[in-house]
């Protein structure tokens, strides 16, 4: 069944070339191919993939569309900030970030946007959750 399949996450992008440069040059993902419709495919871990699908402006959603699990959240934040990524900060009654990081039980996370407005996340699980 589906539990043994590989997945491709499809993200809507207004400018596939611009988004492709961001995912390759800034995030360090490996480009695999560009489909005839302009969708750019990138390799992700475990054989999964990411597709950047050309779409009209405003096709992005207001929630996290992709989260990368990392072993060193602060290190990844520093590295991406060095490449020009700006992280989001929140100060809501039930949700706050400190130094870009929100603590949610045994998980810590930080959010940023790609060039197209998609919300991406870095998250780190405690040792007991790994």
């Amino acid at each position: 069944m589906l539990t043994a399949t590989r997945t491709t996450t499809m993200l809507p992008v207004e400018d596939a070339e611009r988004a492709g440069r961001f995912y390759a040059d800034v995030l360090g993902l490996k480009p695999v191919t560009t489909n005839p419709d302009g969708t750019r495919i990138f390799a992700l871990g475990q054989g999964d993939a990411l597709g950047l699908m050309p779409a009209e402006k405003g096709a992005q959603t207001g929630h996290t569309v992709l989260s990368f699990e990392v072993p060193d959240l602060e290190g990844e934040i520093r590295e991406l900030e060095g490449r020009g990524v700006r992280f989001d900060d929140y100060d809501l009654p039930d949700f706050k970030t400190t130094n870009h990081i929100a603590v949610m039980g045994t998980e810590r996370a930080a959010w940023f946007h790609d060039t197209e407005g998609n919300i991406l996340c870095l998250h780190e699980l405690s040792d007991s959750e790994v």
Side-chain angles (χ1 to χ4, degrees), residues 1-7 48:
M1 291 284 310
L2 296 178
T3 57
T5 64
R6 293 185 178 143
T7 61
D48 294 327

Side-chain angles (χ1 to χ4, degrees), residues 26-27 68-85 87 99-101 108-110 112 122-124:
V26 177
L27 300 187
F68 297 93
E69 185 177 327
V70 297
D72 176 11
L73 186 57
E74 287 87 355
E76 292 289 341
I77 290 171
R78 280 192 305 275
E79 184 173 334
L80 289 176
E81 282 182 322
R83 294 179 182 188
V85 172
F87 283 82
N99 296 321
H100 311 307
I101 298 172
R108 300 178 327 126
F112 61 99
L122 301 178
H123 72 274
E124 178 185 85

Side-chain angles (χ1 to χ4, degrees), residues 42-102:
F42 290 82
L44 295 177
Q46 309 298 320
D48 294 327
L50 171 67
L52 304 177
M53 175 183 63
E56 68 280 352
K57 184 175 184 161
Q60 297 73 27
T61 65
H63 58 81
T64 304
V65 295
L66 185 61
S67 187
F68 297 93
E69 185 177 327
V70 297
D72 176 11
L73 186 57
E74 287 87 355
E76 292 289 341
I77 290 171
R78 280 192 305 275
E79 184 173 334
L80 289 176
E81 282 182 322
R83 294 179 182 188
V85 172
R86 292 180 48 198
F87 283 82
D88 300 334
D89 287 306
Y90 301 95
D91 189 4
L92 305 169
D94 295 331
F95 189 78
K96 295 182 189 297
T97 55
T98 302
N99 296 321
H100 311 307
I101 298 172

